[in-house]
Amino acid sequence: MALRPGLFDAQGHIDERRIRDRFGLRARVEYRKIFTEDLDLPPEELSRFAGELAHPVTHTATLGAAPARPFDHVIEVGYRPGVMDPEGRSAKLLAGYVLGRTFPFERRVAVQHQRLIRGALSPAELRKVAGLFSNDTVQTFRIWSFAKWKRGIAPYMPTVRVPPPGPVRRYDLDLPDGELLALSAERMLALDIAEMGRIREHFSRPKTVEARRRVGLDGRATDVELEHLGQAWSEHCKHKIFNADITYVEGGREEHIAEGIFRRYIRAATLDIQRRKPGFIKSVLWDNSGVVDLDPGADHYLCFKCETHNSPSFIEPYGGAITGIVGVYRDPMGTGRGSRLTFGVWGYCTGSPFYKGALRPPLHPDQLLDGIHRGVRDGGNKHGVPTAIGGTFFDDSYLGKCLVYVGAAGLIPKTVAGRPGYEKWVRPGDRIIVAGGRVGKDGIHGATASSQEYSEGTPAGHVQIGDPYTQKNVQEFLLEALGEGLIDFAQDSGAGGIGSAAGEMSEYSGGARIELDRDLFKYEGLAPWEILESESQERMFFAVDPANVRRFAEIAEKWDVEWRDIGEFTDSGHFHLLYKGATVGYLDIDFLHKGVPQKRLRAVWRTPEERGLREPSLDALARRGPGRLLHDLLRRENVASREFLQREYDTRVQGRTVVPAFIGEGSDVPSDAFVQKLEFGRTGAVACGIGLNPTFGKIDTYAMAMLSANEGLMRVVAVGADPDRAANNGNYCWPGVLADESDEPEYKTAQLVRAARAQSDFATGTDVATISGKDSMKIQGNILDSRGRRHRVFGLPAIQFATIGHVPDAAGCVTADLKLAGDIVYVVGPPTRDELGGSELHEMLGEPGLNVPRVDLPASMETYRALHSAMRAGLVESAKACSKGGLAAALSLAAFGGGLGASIDLRRVPSDIPAGDRHRDLRLLFSESASRFVVSVAPGNAAAFEKVMGGRAARFGTVVPRSVVVTGSGGKVILREEAARLKRSWRSTFAHKLHAGGGAP
Amino acid sequence: MNPRAAVVVGHGILCDRELEEALRRAGADAERVHLNDLLDGERAGRYHILALPGGFAFGDDTFAGNIFAKKVLFNPLREAFRRHLDEGRLVFGVCNGNQVGTMMNLIPAFGEPLGPPEVAYTCNSSARFEDRGNIHLKVVSQRSHWLKGLDVLHNIPVAHGEGRFYTSPRVLRRLRSEGLVALRYATEKGVPARGRYPQNPNDSLEDIAALASEQVLLMMPHPERAIEPVNQDGWTRRRSLLRRRGKGLPPEGDGMAIFRNGVEHVRKNLL
């Protein structure tokens, strides 16, 4: 399928740009698409099918090799065998509609992408260029010269050839420790000796032996059982580090955290808040997402969950990221008995897109970011869920592994079939039904692989291509079945597949009996353990009363959702697995879920001073002058406009969006938070904002966690959310803390303890509960440099706090852009302090410094409540939360966001920085002291606003037409910059990634 | 009795609930109906308005709108569409629904109605999916029942990757002369964008954002995402200006006028 001559080839054009930007090579690219089929069609039908593939106005479809003007080379990219090919699947459906029949599942259409290259590229250059369009883990490419291509090329039809599986293997576990560990390694179980020892001990118990004999198993463990234990006890599923017994040492004092940091710091604070706010927090920390009653008058609860999808995205960014976002959607969908997705969030941390250093990660950060971005874009847009808001953080510590945060919120009907929508249950006798995608070998060992450090040997088998099309059908089918009260329990199937999903569900009834061969397969040849552990996507599990199965099936068929009944829930106390009638696994439920031994860790904190940190001199920066410094700051990659990402995400689908990702006079400045009505026709809305700033962790992870959580809350308050009706989701991404995987295990463990403690202090001090969350350990990689030497790269510890809050009246929302000249500008919140530690200004010096901002939680909450009251009274025209770049950056964004300027006087900013400090003005402009806002108020409302704020707002300027003008501590103007020029600087960094306009030359 | 509208869903249609809401607010009894429940052509006859929502039907695979349109055209539903139009009933298609309607040749149908398409909405010149809220539309023909009395629609969102209007010079001339060109991308003042990006967000030929006949409106931008003023870009800025004049935001968003027109036409002429 090729474009008609004379039409503008947008795809080819953008490919040329990528080749030029990435490698500095010049080549013309002509794009076309190949459909390869094995439908066994007679010629007449084949040509009819081909004719329906192309748009007759713009494209031509040719059977066989399409004619082409001479070119130099052609690069053809196609999927490897067994990888999901959504477009091929759709094209096969088209053939069915057009020809009026259906084809068996095994018959396929596959899609390849051809780029005709005109330009003198060497073979090595061609391979590099092909690598831009093809990811080796899921795709393969072929290159021909024009002459070879003219002689004819063989079609490419990826075909899975899997030998029939061998018999179930059985392992005698009565082995010495060394051989047990070797077994763990051989089967990639990623279990340590304590865990393997516990399994050995369990299998040797007479009670176990006797129970197994009754179902026809001997004393040996089957491969099904070992694989299942490896998965169920993986770090990914069991969070063994968050549950470890930790001895924390600080300043010579030891503290014993026997119950682990999850229980002590996260769970305790959340459950405490739930006790105090039972009307708000409905269901937390057990289901697939946390549930709040955000708007008491609405018909729905809101549920919310964020995830990470780091390891797969690092290897295959597009597939990893699309699988990540489509995967996290199943968390709200699998909360209670089901929910309707309402918005999603994103966050990416990679090395600098401009990285020019010696390390050679598998993909350059720029290409990595591009793939992640396209994956999240397609997953969100094609699922009909607004990809509402997000952020990036670039740091070369993520060259070893990137972070991909994805999150989703859903709406749960308050009452379903007479019971609260967040309740779910499994009754013995309920059928186990799986619906959605089919099972293949993809995704095997995903749960264990994500718990490992990256190296070239990391198996790519756990990388998949998510399919939003299939899952959207599952979502709609789920809603209809939910509405009819047919579902007892909805469950996501993600990492760990059937074993994990049905395994967790079986805890509720006390057992399950599963016939593995009754699932739906992509192809033959899967061993029973592979069926159990496969992480094939777009699958959900349901517990359904046998009386409801028929109706359930009718709805599934209406929505083209494939489903299978694979067994029943029991109260046998065992997870019973069968394959073709024979028992292949029989595991005690209690042992499976509670048997994993607790790890013991030691944490030793070293203070920033002990680590040699100090406050850097600002003299060199001061010489640039405040104006130039501000331009330089706005151009920095962690401050500059990242419109090239968010612009491609649909933020308004579903029609309830009130504050989209971009605001202001040009609709191109980011909002602090996203706001969406919960339901048409109601005034209540949800705000969602992101806090993520790993830089502070270079000094102290306590500050990093505290400031990130606080930033999330500030952002939702800035748009109009009630600080007393807010909650968050915390996602930890941490470098390895275990002795065998870390350069400084005890210190990194101490960093983790401090972060969790900060999260607890924040929750207790604000009553903002963490309703859901996740941890992803081993953010690190073992990568080569340009001379072939190995380097271990550990990622900066990071926590993304995605905060949600209740906006009582959507029509009262406030945006950050200044509105009208003459309005009064205030700095709101606690004083600005000498707190440049971890600031973007210090980053410009390459030194974090020491004076990291402290958060005064009582003063912050008083500020948030007062500001919220002022907004409720309609007294606020604009509000911008201060974060990276401090007051100077916040004021600049508010100004050019409104197409206006502001004249401010630093002498009126409340501060305890001594008058004699010669860098006082720089500190006032760029300190990232917490909990401050830049707010503008109409002159007529100033007195009322000040009264409501009760001394927490300082009038420090006015809105003016053009420029940002700053009067310094000495009473002189120290900065006068046109807002439009500041905006240009801020947009310049990634301008090359935006479309410049125009089309056909 | 109220006008009845079917909002067709299934196969990756995504923007159905907001379209249903817009039609309801305009006074129609709107309901979401799965394409599979319409294929035999019988149920379609119940409705005065067939509405094709936005989305990614079949993932936009092969090209946007193609497979969904073919599923209609190779089933009895095709004849139901013909009857629907013969009886003077209305069709509305937005974004992906526009692409579907275009593939069904609901407009311009110079050749065979429900035959091969004569215009295309193809890959944006940016080769990117773009989401923008500050798109303004100039109504350049009031021939359609959907557009009576309208002039400029402000801040109507677009969200698409394949929205670049394209056709042959011959078809374009005839579209213009017969008044089938309905909406053009425009500046805030309502002047056609003349290809300037991002006012014309996809490099559409002659800024064309929609074609419309009397009964059929097929448009790329999303009026159903502009039901209320608070859904429209810049609303907090307008609120600030209006407050100083002692006024508030209008009761409805710019998008609603289209739906009110369509539903009113049915009420007056087809009930």
Side-chain angles (χ1 to χ4, degrees):
Chain A
M1 188 166 98
L3 206 60
R4 287 189 179 276
L7 268 76
F8 175 58
D9 181 359
Q11 184 64 51
H13 183 73
I14 201 170
D15 291 343
E16 287 166 10
R17 254 177 67 164
R18 285 177 74 195
I19 294 169
R20 191 190 61 209
D21 291 349
R22 192 79 222 95
F23 305 119
L25 296 171
R26 304 246 163 218
R28 306 291 298 177
V29 178
E30 186 180 330
Y31 171 81
R32 37 199 230 173
K33 201 181 276 179
I34 312 298
F35 293 85
T36 306
E37 54 78 37
D38 69 358
L39 300 175
D40 208 10
L41 300 175
E44 183 273 334
E45 286 194 340
L46 185 59
S47 77
R48 267 170 61 204
F49 171 43
E52 302 292 349
L53 283 168
H55 194 306
V57 175
T58 53
H59 287 75
T60 54
T62 318
L63 277 177
R69 288 184 297 114
F71 51 82
D72 293 304
H73 289 91
V74 55
I75 299 171
E76 183 189 89
V77 177
Y79 282 120
R80 287 185 183 277
V83 178
M84 175 72 198
D85 181 347
E87 185 156 23
R89 181 262 331 269
S90 297
K92 180 177 146 187
L93 287 172
L94 174 64
Y97 298 145
V98 168
L99 303 173
R101 55 198 172 95
T102 50
F103 297 96
F105 183 82
E106 300 71 35
R107 294 279 168 199
R108 286 164 309 139
V109 178
V111 174
Q112 292 96 40
H113 307 272
Q114 279 191 354
R115 288 169 174 90
L116 312 185
I117 306 282
R118 296 188 178 89
L121 302 187
S122 71
E125 285 169 342
L126 278 166
R127 278 195 301 278
K128 275 204 309 201
V129 167
L132 274 186
F133 309 123
S134 166
N135 190 299
D136 202 43
T137 51
V138 289
Q139 289 163 313
T140 177
F141 63 81
R142 306 189 291 175
I143 300 175
W144 299 276
S145 67
F146 181 69
K148 279 205 179 128
W149 175 84
K150 278 211 85 163
R151 288 199 292 273
I153 57 175
Y156 173 74
M157 176 56 86
T159 304
V160 177
R161 285 189 191 82
V162 186
V168 170
R169 290 182 63 185
R170 287 159 214 274
Y171 297 88
D172 189 343
L173 298 181
D174 190 14
L175 300 170
D177 286 2
E179 286 175 49
L180 261 193
L181 266 185
L183 177 60
S184 169
E186 177 200 323
R187 290 221 63 107
M188 295 185 52
L189 305 179
L191 295 176
D192 67 16
I193 190 59
E195 292 153 353
M196 287 302 286
R198 181 69 61 89
I199 294 169
R200 173 176 59 194
E201 186 265 333
H202 175 78
F203 272 83
S204 69
R205 284 184 197 174
K207 205 174 142 229
T208 310
V209 174
E210 176 52 33
R212 294 169 63 75
R213 183 170 310 137
R214 282 200 302 268
V215 293
L217 291 174
D218 60 22
R220 294 172 299 168
T222 65
D223 54 7
V224 176
E225 290 169 324
L226 281 181
E227 291 283 346
H228 187 52
L229 281 162
Q231 177 274 123
W233 287 10
S234 67
E235 177 56 44
H236 186 92
C237 295
K238 276 284 178 278
H239 311 284
K240 291 179 280 197
I241 289 161
F242 270 65
N243 289 312
D245 173 322
I246 296 180
T247 303
Y248 175 80
V249 186
E250 180 180 341
R253 279 188 40 235
E254 281 198 2
E255 186 186 347
H256 189 204
I257 307 163
E259 72 273 40
I261 57 175
F262 173 71
R263 282 168 174 273
R264 175 170 297 188
Y265 294 124
I266 297 167
R267 189 159 165 269
T270 294
L271 296 184
D272 193 41
I273 297 168
Q274 185 178 25
R275 274 190 291 276
R276 284 200 302 282
K277 292 182 171 179
F280 180 61
I281 295 177
K282 305 310 287 187
S283 166
V284 282
L285 302 181
W286 66 277
D287 205 344
N288 289 310
S289 66
V291 183
V292 291
D293 187 3
L294 201 79
D295 179 356
D299 296 330
H300 294 84
Y301 298 118
L302 190 89
C303 63
F304 189 45
K305 168 64 174 272
C306 297
E307 267 280 9
T308 51
H309 216 58
N310 308 324
S311 297
S313 303
F314 189 64
I315 300 171
E316 206 297 86
Y318 180 83
I322 192 170
T323 304
I325 186 120
V326 172
V328 79
Y329 289 161
R330 290 193 300 275
D331 281 317
M333 282 166 70
T335 298
R337 279 164 284 160
S339 78
R340 174 155 59 88
L341 293 161
T342 187
F343 67 84
V345 300
W346 57 276
Y348 318 140
C349 301
T350 68
S352 166
F354 304 100
Y355 180 74
K356 289 195 174 69
L359 293 175
R360 295 285 176 268
L363 290 171
H364 186 277
D366 187 56
Q367 196 178 345
L368 181 69
L369 181 68
D370 182 63
I372 294 167
H373 160 60
R374 288 184 294 112
V376 168
R377 175 194 68 192
D378 288 358
N381 292 351
K382 294 188 174 186
H383 212 299
V385 182
T387 306
I389 197 151
T392 56
F393 179 78
F394 301 119
D395 188 278
D396 291 343
S397 72
Y398 299 117
L399 286 170
K401 201 185 262 186
C402 61
L403 312 186
V404 176
Y405 291 102
V406 281
L411 296 169
I412 298 185
K414 283 195 176 162
T415 308
V416 183
R419 291 175 69 169
Y422 54 79
E423 286 186 4
K424 64 203 310 188
W425 56 87
V426 181
R427 295 197 185 96
D430 274 359
R431 302 307 303 174
I432 305 172
I433 295 190
V434 56
R438 288 175 175 236
V439 178
K441 288 204 180 218
D442 32 30
I444 287 169
H445 284 139
T448 42
S450 73
S451 309
Q452 283 168 351
E453 173 175 311
Y454 169 78
S455 71
E456 296 96 281
T458 303
H462 75 282
V463 181
Q464 305 170 67
I465 309 287
D467 178 16
Y469 171 79
T470 296
Q471 192 167 296
K472 170 66 176 172
N473 285 340
V474 175
Q475 158 86 98
E476 293 296 335
F477 142 72
L478 160 68
L479 290 173
E480 216 170 307
L482 175 71
E484 294 190 19
L486 305 175
I487 298 171
D488 286 352
F489 196 110
Q491 172 77 346
D492 154 41
S493 169
I498 305 182
S500 185
E504 283 174 31
M505 291 168 82
S506 68
E507 285 184 76
Y508 291 83
S509 65
R513 187 174 187 281
I514 297 176
E515 297 177 59
L516 293 169
D517 50 300
R518 284 172 60 174
D519 211 322
L520 276 162
F521 301 100
K522 293 183 177 175
Y523 38 79
E524 292 298 309
L526 270 71
W529 75 266
E530 291 176 316
I531 301 169
L532 186 68
E533 303 308 320
S534 163
E535 295 179 4
S536 291
Q537 296 289 299
E538 295 83 42
R539 285 159 63 82
M540 289 196 69
F541 281 75
F542 300 96
V544 178
D545 187 293
N548 290 330
V549 171
R550 220 179 109 183
R551 178 64 191 139
F552 183 92
E554 282 172 11
I555 300 173
E557 276 146 33
K558 167 179 163 185
W559 286 97
D560 297 300
V561 170
E562 293 194 304
W563 67 280
R564 276 295 167 96
D565 177 337
I566 60 166
E568 70 172 351
F569 290 104
T570 66
D571 53 7
S572 70
H574 283 85
F575 195 53
H576 189 175
L577 300 161
L578 299 102
Y579 182 76
K580 297 187 174 165
T583 294
V584 292
Y586 197 67
L587 289 163
D588 182 279
I589 296 263
D590 268 354
F591 174 70
L592 192 53
H593 299 288
K594 299 186 190 123
V596 62
Q598 194 186 18
K599 278 195 192 305
R600 285 177 176 278
L601 298 173
R602 188 175 162 82
V604 181
W605 174 243
R606 284 183 288 128
T607 63
E609 291 85 352
E610 284 168 344
R611 282 177 282 125
L613 297 185
R614 59 184 181 85
E615 279 286 290
S617 162
L618 298 181
D619 292 350
L621 289 179
R623 281 194 289 276
R624 287 194 215 174
R628 209 186 116 199
L629 212 47
L630 180 54
H631 278 282
D632 290 349
L633 181 108
L634 291 171
R635 271 192 289 264
R636 290 186 55 84
E637 59 194 36
N638 282 330
V639 178
S641 168
R642 278 145 284 174
E643 181 180 338
F644 71 101
L645 299 169
Q646 182 68 60
R647 179 62 72 200
E648 296 190 48
Y649 307 153
D650 191 339
T651 60
R652 296 164 225 259
V653 61
Q654 301 191 17
R656 289 175 282 112
T657 298
V658 172
V659 178
F662 291 114
I663 53 155
E665 165 236 22
S667 294
D668 56 2
V669 168
S671 174
D672 278 338
F674 169 80
V675 182
Q676 182 191 48
K677 282 195 179 191
L678 288 185
E679 294 161 3
F680 291 117
R682 277 199 60 77
T683 55
V686 54
C688 180
I690 308 285
L692 170 71
N693 194 337
T695 315
F696 296 120
K698 292 181 181 175
I699 303 171
D700 185 351
T701 48
Y702 182 92
M704 181 275 285
M706 178 63 81
L707 288 159
S708 299
N710 188 52
E711 184 181 350
L713 181 58
M714 284 172 72
R715 285 174 177 272
V716 296
V717 168
V719 296
D722 181 348
D724 287 310
R725 297 185 64 77
N728 66 27
N729 181 103
N731 274 86
Y732 285 68
C733 285
W734 228 259
V737 300
L738 301 178
D740 59 352
E741 64 185 21
S742 182
D743 53 344
E744 38 185 9
E746 294 184 341
Y747 172 67
K748 286 191 161 74
T749 307
Q751 286 186 301
L752 186 62
V753 171
R754 291 182 68 79
R757 187 181 281 172
Q759 184 180 350
S760 172
D761 290 350
F762 177 80
T764 307
T766 58
D767 265 8
V768 173
T770 296
I771 56 168
S772 192
K774 198 69 184 280
D775 65 279
S776 179
M777 308 303 290
K778 300 192 180 65
I779 303 304
Q780 61 197 62
N782 198 331
I783 53 178
L784 300 173
D785 67 13
S786 51
R787 299 155 99 192
R789 287 177 307 200
R790 275 191 178 281
H791 297 262
R792 281 185 112 180
V793 184
F794 294 91
L796 275 180
I799 311 178
Q800 190 201 55
F801 283 98
T803 306
I804 51 172
H806 177 222
V807 176
D809 178 10
C813 280
V814 173
T815 54
D817 46 322
L818 300 179
K819 299 300 188 300
L820 287 164
D823 284 356
I824 316 290
V825 186
Y826 291 85
V827 57
V828 165
T832 302
R833 300 199 173 86
D834 176 6
E835 290 180 325
L836 282 169
S839 69
E840 194 60 23
L841 195 77
H842 273 182
E843 285 293 293
M844 290 168 83
L845 293 165
E847 282 189 67
L850 265 181
N851 297 344
V852 71
R854 286 151 297 154
V855 183
D856 179 340
L857 287 173
S860 300
M861 282 305 283
E862 283 169 21
T863 299
Y864 304 156
R865 290 188 182 115
L867 183 58
H868 183 65
S869 299
M871 287 179 174
R872 289 287 279 156
L875 301 173
V876 176
E877 301 298 320
S878 76
K880 171 87 191 135
C882 293
S883 57
K884 257 195 188 314
L887 211 49
L891 186 73
S892 301
L893 266 95
F896 60 65
L900 291 163
S903 177
I904 59 141
D905 188 338
L906 290 180
R907 292 172 299 180
R908 308 182 77 166
V909 176
S911 176
D912 57 4
I913 300 171
D917 184 332
R918 68 196 158 98
H919 295 309
R920 187 170 194 273
D921 290 345
L922 288 188
R923 296 191 207 285
L924 288 171
L925 284 170
F926 297 109
S927 266
E928 295 178 15
S929 293
S931 314
R932 298 170 306 150
F933 300 83
V934 172
V935 169
S936 68
V937 175
N941 289 330
F945 175 74
E946 288 169 23
K947 188 154 175 258
V948 174
M949 294 307 296
R952 295 178 197 90
R955 185 193 283 231
F956 81 136
T958 49
V959 178
V960 297
R962 269 167 73 93
S963 296
V964 174
V965 183
V966 178
T967 301
S969 303
K972 287 193 204 122
V973 169
I974 56 163
L975 182 156
R976 182 191 298 275
E977 295 293 331
E978 254 181 65
R981 284 194 53 228
L982 292 170
K983 185 174 183 180
R984 253 199 311 277
S985 291
W986 173 75
R987 285 177 68 86
S988 65
T989 311
F990 295 105
H992 61 288
K993 290 185 176 287
L994 288 168
H995 181 54
Chain B
M1 188 175 101
N2 287 329
R4 288 184 303 272
V7 176
V8 187
V9 302
H11 296 302
I13 288 296
L14 308 172
C15 312
D16 42 296
R17 288 182 176 85
E18 53 270 45
L19 184 52
E20 179 189 38
E21 175 73 12
L23 287 163
R24 280 187 181 165
R25 286 185 184 208
D29 288 338
E31 58 180 341
R32 299 161 58 246
V33 191
H34 198 289
L35 177 63
N36 287 343
D37 292 337
L38 293 169
L39 285 181
D40 65 10
E42 283 177 23
R43 184 166 168 182
R46 292 188 208 167
Y47 304 100
H48 302 101
I49 299 173
L50 294 176
L52 303 169
F56 274 89
F58 295 94
D60 266 5
D61 293 332
T62 68
F63 57 92
N66 184 34
I67 304 179
F68 199 92
K70 300 289 159 64
K71 187 162 178 180
V72 174
L73 293 175
F74 285 85
N75 272 292
L77 182 55
R78 174 195 171 120
E79 288 315 304
F81 260 93
R82 195 190 300 284
R83 283 196 301 277
H84 184 85
L85 292 172
D86 288 348
E87 288 165 14
R89 300 181 177 211
L90 306 189
V91 177
F92 175 78
V94 56
C95 200
N96 197 207
N98 165 38
Q99 293 156 336
V100 169
T102 299
M103 276 313 291
M104 291 165 62
N105 200 22
L106 296 174
I107 307 182
F110 295 145
E112 181 197 351
L114 298 163
E118 295 165 54
V119 304
Y121 289 87
T122 189
C123 186
N124 295 355
S125 281
S126 64
R128 289 169 172 86
F129 181 99
E130 293 190 28
D131 171 86
R132 292 185 184 274
N134 56 343
I135 295 296
H136 313 297
L137 301 170
K138 172 72 178 170
V139 181
V140 289
S141 165
Q142 297 202 353
R143 187 176 152 175
S144 178
H145 302 311
W146 293 97
L147 298 172
K148 293 278 185 257
L150 304 184
D151 179 23
V152 183
L153 302 171
H154 286 109
N155 295 299
I156 304 293
V158 295
H160 59 249
E162 296 182 37
R164 182 162 73 106
F165 178 82
Y166 178 80
T167 191
S168 67
R170 182 183 55 77
V171 171
L172 184 62
R173 273 196 301 278
R174 197 163 157 201
L175 287 171
R176 275 194 308 242
S177 69
E178 296 192 15
L180 293 171
V181 175
L183 302 174
R184 290 191 203 269
Y185 295 110
T187 66
E188 200 163 2
K189 293 190 175 127
V191 182
R194 306 181 68 174
R196 268 194 310 271
Y197 176 83
Q199 287 85 355
N200 174 343
N202 49 36
D203 200 25
S204 277
L205 196 60
E206 296 203 347
D207 304 317
I208 291 173
L211 302 181
S213 61
E214 278 79 3
Q215 294 161 258
V216 181
L217 170 61
L218 296 180
M219 62 188 294
M220 209 58 219
H222 284 282
E224 84 287 13
R225 295 185 182 189
I227 294 176
E228 295 181 6
V230 298
N231 300 133
Q232 295 184 271
D233 266 26
W235 71 270
T236 55
R237 305 180 64 73
R238 282 191 293 287
R239 181 184 59 189
S240 287
L241 276 169
L242 289 164
R243 260 189 202 156
R244 311 294 163 98
R245 299 184 204 141
K247 291 188 197 157
L249 291 165
E252 277 191 339
D254 280 48
M256 277 305 296
I258 291 176
F259 302 108
R260 290 208 176 275
N261 268 335
V263 173
E264 275 314 297
H265 173 80
V266 173
R267 196 183 290 286
K268 284 190 186 136
N269 300 286
L270 298 174
L271 286 187

